[in-house]
Amino acid sequence: MMYRPESHELIRAAQYLRMSSDVQRYSTENQQNAIAEYAQRHGYKIVASYRDAGKSGLSLKGRDALRQLLSDALSAQRLFDAILVLDVSRWGRFQNPDQAGHYEFLCREAGVPVIYCGEPFDNDVVPATTIVKHLKRVMAGEYSRELSAKVCRAHHQQALLGFRQGGSLTYGFRRLLVDPSRVPRQILNAGERKALSSDKVVIVPGPPEELAVIRRIFRLFVQQQLSIAEITRRLSKKGIPGYGGKPLGHQAVRHILSCGLCIGQMTYCVTTSRLQGPAKKNPEELWARFTAFEPVVSIRQFRRAQHRLAQSRVRWDKPSIAASLRTLLAEKGRLTQILINESESGPCHETVVNHFGSLDAAYSAIGYVPEFKRQFGMNGKFWSEKALFAGLRKIQAANGFVSNRLIDSCADLPSAAFVRRRFGTLSEAIGQAGLPVVSHGETQKRAWKRRRAAGCDEIYQGVRWTKEELALALRKLHKKVGYLTANVINRNEAAPSSDYYCKRFGSLDDARRFAGIPVLTHSQRMLAALKRKRDGKTTVERRRRHPDQRIGLHYRSDDILMGLNNLVREKGVISARLINADPALPSADCVIKHFGSLREAYRLAGIFPLEGKLVRFGLPLRILPEKRS
């Protein structure tokens, strides 16, 4: 598809951006600028962007943006007719070059060519171009293989010197940042990394209270012969937090019992996983060992723990896990995370999640349908990014947009609060899902449009006002006072405030015109005000409608509390979402601004936390209407 200057038509194009890490010359901004220059020169118009930031190009794994791009390109309702990519390596460093050609072929067959903006060859299907493009794909894959070998050798050498080479840290130990001479700099907290490439990281024992927990775990496991599940329950009952404040789970306790750091030995290269392949266990002579510090537990006790672990260790795979779950289901009649962890003959829930992706997927594999329970993020660690993105795309397809309200009402997603905690903001989650990100202003306009469509704007302090009734109130007030200003309207308790008139009509002048009241210019208003002052008729000062009213808030406190009470009697429970959906009440933000918090407003309205609910408020059963008793 070529650009024809005489037609002045721009070809709609989508751009694909990818970078493997934050420190490389192929940043998404550089790619975007180069693609924009190419599009301007060759007659393309960028209408969509698909971005995979910090994603490896070895496969489609984790590259949700590329998956969505391929799906949209093969769709009949696509919004673009070409795909612009900086070069062959940005499309992917697939180890099989035919894989990259296959994805490009699918797009071309659908009428969407893939254009490489930074490559020297032309983007046409001729033998010379095909050969060069295939060589480029082979070179991109070979670059990844060579880089993987170099990095692996460097990590192994650094591990022999006693330096930490990434990976998750075991409970009870900390990372210490040191300079090239091993002079300590600082302890690194969770999520922190070294700033200089010359600095190194070593492992040191953690706080004494955590080391005491490690010794207790070994004592319970070796001397008292308790199971890992029982040890986990005892630690949870004592309220002992794990690394990062999270509870010590079944997998964490097993990892502590098998970790060589407990005897002061740092081990590296036990397993190897290259180019996103499966992890393979290496022979013991290839392991890199380094004695880092004094043992936390005795070597004899550690060996006894390894002997017992070896006797009870089972190599779980999907068929064996499914069989174990079916046996447990037949015994208990239902499956839950707690029941799976309590089973002595089966795997822990973390092993199930590692093999199936989630507990729901494991339940589906054995044909078990659990009782429906809306999840609000409390079980959030079982939600994969793939499941979250699929739910967001489902909402987008059904409604044309994504909002907090729609997420909370969707049974295929956790709560909107959980999504925000997971990704930082809702906009970030929407962007990573490959959906268009709408600005905050556009979101507000959409919300006000829904409220107007529902007739919420016609209600003021629980009373529905038509424009004719508002105009009649203005005419009566004008006839009574002789003039109309914002202060005069606000003082009149028989009609809404001036702000409400502006909201319904656009401005006070438009309200005057609708009511048939003469509209004065600014100079005429000033002259009339000066004349009233000379005649002793001073202007009306704005005053409070009642002692508890805050200036600028046009809802009475007792009206809000009565509305909250009516709402909770009707629904049985109350929340910010229910308040926002009630046209007879102001927004939840307005209630918070007026009373300080929703909890305080509930207290004043006689609404109390429900028993057994952490964040639910309502009325006791004895107070609810007869139909809810």
Side-chain angles (χ1 to χ4, degrees):
M1 185 179 295
M2 301 299 295
Y3 172 61
R4 300 182 297 274
E6 64 277 6
S7 64
H8 301 287
E9 293 182 0
L10 297 178
I11 302 174
R12 302 176 305 170
Q15 61 178 353
Y16 176 69
L17 313 170
R18 183 191 68 83
M19 68 174 183
S20 302
S21 62
D22 298 332
V23 286
Q24 60 177 197
R25 61 189 179 94
Y26 290 112
S27 69
T28 54
E29 289 76 12
N30 293 340
Q31 297 176 51
Q32 191 168 358
N33 293 337
I35 292 175
E37 294 177 2
Y38 182 92
Q40 186 176 8
R41 291 196 308 267
H42 294 81
Y44 292 95
K45 178 183 178 182
I46 306 298
V47 298
S49 295
Y50 297 82
R51 187 189 307 265
D52 276 325
K55 302 297 182 181
S56 172
L58 293 173
S59 67
L60 280 181
K61 181 180 179 181
R63 299 171 66 181
D64 296 329
L66 180 57
R67 290 175 180 269
Q68 187 64 36
L69 172 62
L70 296 176
S71 175
D72 294 345
L74 301 179
S75 173
Q77 293 81 24
R78 62 175 179 266
L79 301 177
F80 51 87
D81 301 309
I83 299 174
L84 301 184
V85 190
L86 180 62
D87 56 29
V88 171
S89 67
R90 296 305 94 198
W91 185 250
R93 298 185 182 274
F94 301 101
Q95 296 306 292
N96 186 349
D98 292 338
Q99 186 177 359
H102 171 68
Y103 297 143
E104 182 179 338
F105 172 77
L106 292 177
C107 296
R108 188 176 294 276
E109 282 295 295
V112 185
V114 179
I115 310 298
Y116 298 105
C117 305
E119 296 290 1
F121 53 78
D122 295 329
N123 292 284
D124 49 5
V125 185
V126 296
T129 300
T130 303
I131 293 173
V132 174
K133 191 184 297 184
H134 186 77
L135 288 176
K136 286 275 189 176
R137 291 171 182 154
V138 174
M139 292 168 58
E142 185 62 24
Y143 171 83
S144 295
R145 285 191 290 270
E146 293 178 354
L147 182 62
S148 175
K150 293 178 182 178
V151 171
C152 185
R153 285 196 299 269
H155 284 180
H156 191 274
Q157 180 63 28
Q158 292 296 310
L160 290 174
L161 298 176
F163 299 123
R164 179 73 171 181
Q165 301 303 307
S168 59
L169 195 60
T170 306
Y171 170 81
F173 302 93
R174 295 293 185 268
R175 297 176 300 154
L176 175 64
L177 182 67
V178 298
D179 63 10
S181 302
R182 295 183 182 268
V183 177
R185 292 188 184 273
Q186 69 177 68
I187 294 292
L188 295 178
N189 297 320
E192 293 182 348
R193 299 181 180 181
K194 63 180 184 179
L196 302 176
S197 59
S198 59
D199 287 347
K200 306 297 180 181
V201 177
V202 298
I203 304 302
V204 295
E209 56 271 16
E210 294 187 6
L211 300 181
V213 173
I214 292 178
R215 297 186 184 98
R216 181 182 180 184
I217 291 174
F218 274 90
R219 185 171 61 254
L220 294 175
F221 186 73
V222 175
Q223 298 178 5
Q224 299 186 22
Q225 297 290 304
L226 297 181
S227 66
I228 295 179
E230 179 61 27
I231 295 174
T232 303
R233 282 195 295 270
R234 290 197 179 190
L235 296 177
S236 177
K237 187 176 181 180
K238 291 290 185 180
I240 298 176
Y243 187 70
K246 298 180 181 179
L248 282 172
H250 190 285
Q251 198 71 14
V253 174
R254 176 179 288 275
H255 186 60
I256 290 173
L257 291 170
S258 60
C259 183
L261 290 176
C262 295
I263 56 173
Q265 187 178 79
M266 189 177 69
T267 307
Y268 180 72
C269 202
V270 177
T271 60
T272 300
S273 175
R274 295 186 181 180
L275 301 175
Q276 294 188 354
K280 299 180 180 179
K281 189 170 183 178
N282 296 321
E284 192 169 346
E285 59 268 16
L286 296 181
W287 296 1
R289 291 188 173 94
F290 183 86
T291 303
F293 43 80
E294 292 295 324
V296 177
V297 299
S298 66
I299 297 179
R300 179 173 177 272
Q301 192 177 38
F302 182 79
R303 288 175 178 173
R304 292 177 61 188
Q306 305 317 300
H307 178 70
R308 188 180 175 201
L309 286 174
Q311 291 178 339
S312 61
R313 183 175 289 114
V314 178
R315 295 294 180 183
W316 294 104
D317 53 15
K318 283 189 175 182
S320 59
I321 293 175
S324 175
L325 292 179
R326 291 191 187 97
T327 302
L328 183 62
L329 177 61
E331 178 184 350
K332 301 293 185 181
R334 61 191 181 97
L335 291 177
T336 64
Q337 174 185 330
I338 296 177
L339 291 178
I340 293 174
N341 285 336
E342 289 178 347
S343 175
E344 293 290 343
S345 59
C348 65
H349 77 277
E350 292 164 329
T351 302
V352 178
V353 171
N354 289 338
H355 282 80
F356 288 90
S358 66
L359 287 180
D360 288 338
Y363 296 161
S364 178
I366 64 174
Y368 171 62
V369 180
E371 181 182 356
F372 175 78
K373 180 180 180 182
R374 189 182 298 277
Q375 295 182 344
F376 291 91
M378 281 76 90
N379 255 356
K381 65 180 180 180
F382 301 127
W383 285 92
S384 65
E385 288 190 357
K386 179 180 178 181
L388 293 174
F389 292 156
L392 293 176
R393 295 189 188 106
K394 181 178 179 180
I395 292 177
Q396 176 76 21
N399 302 276
F401 64 94
V402 178
S403 67
N404 292 296
R405 179 179 59 86
L406 293 176
I407 293 175
D408 284 335
S409 60
C410 179
D412 297 329
L413 283 173
S415 66
F418 171 75
V419 175
R420 293 194 299 270
R421 288 195 303 269
R422 177 75 172 269
F423 297 96
T425 62
L426 182 58
S427 298
E428 182 66 22
I430 295 173
Q432 292 190 27
L435 303 175
V437 179
V438 182
S439 63
H440 177 71
E442 186 64 29
T443 303
Q444 291 295 99
K445 291 179 182 178
R446 185 182 292 150
W448 280 113
K449 185 177 180 180
R450 290 198 303 268
R451 287 182 63 86
R452 284 194 297 270
C456 298
D457 286 353
E458 299 179 4
I459 297 176
Y460 180 81
Q461 292 188 358
V463 179
R464 186 176 297 276
W465 289 85
T466 64
K467 287 192 173 183
E468 290 73 15
E469 292 172 338
L470 293 171
L472 179 61
L474 278 187
R475 287 193 290 269
K476 289 181 179 180
L477 185 60
H478 183 266
K479 182 177 179 181
K480 176 181 178 181
V481 182
Y483 63 96
L484 279 180
T485 64
N487 286 338
V488 170
I489 296 174
N490 288 332
R491 189 177 181 182
N492 178 38
E493 298 187 1
S497 65
S498 60
D499 291 340
Y500 184 74
Y501 273 97
C502 293
K503 179 180 178 181
R504 290 294 299 273
F505 294 94
S507 67
L508 284 181
D509 285 345
D510 291 340
R512 294 186 182 99
R513 293 188 186 95
F514 186 88
I517 299 172
V519 178
L520 304 179
T521 64
H522 179 71
S523 299
Q524 290 173 333
R525 294 195 191 102
M526 294 300 297
L527 292 174
L530 292 174
K531 183 176 182 301
R532 290 194 299 271
K533 187 175 182 179
R534 287 194 302 268
D535 296 341
K537 299 178 180 180
T538 57
T539 57
V540 178
E541 296 295 337
R542 188 171 184 178
R543 67 181 186 181
R544 299 178 185 271
R545 291 171 176 260
H546 53 86
D548 294 333
Q549 182 193 5
R550 296 185 180 185
I551 295 299
L553 181 66
H554 304 292
Y555 283 88
R556 299 176 185 270
S557 298
D558 51 354
D559 291 338
I560 296 177
L561 297 178
M562 184 179 297
L564 295 177
N565 202 278
N566 292 337
L567 177 61
V568 76
R569 288 178 178 275
E570 177 185 354
K571 303 292 186 180
V573 295
I574 194 169
S575 65
R577 184 163 60 87
L578 292 176
I579 293 174
N580 289 331
D582 193 336
L585 282 171
S587 65
D589 292 338
C590 184
V591 176
I592 293 173
K593 183 181 292 185
H594 188 61
F595 293 99
S597 66
L598 287 179
R599 184 181 292 271
E600 179 64 17
Y602 296 161
R603 186 186 67 81
L604 295 174
I607 303 171
F608 305 96
L610 298 178
E611 294 182 2
K613 302 286 186 179
L614 295 179
V615 292
R616 291 295 183 91
F617 288 82
L619 293 177
L621 292 178
R622 63 179 182 276
I623 302 180
L624 291 176
E626 188 65 28
K627 64 180 181 179
R628 298 187 61 85
S629 59

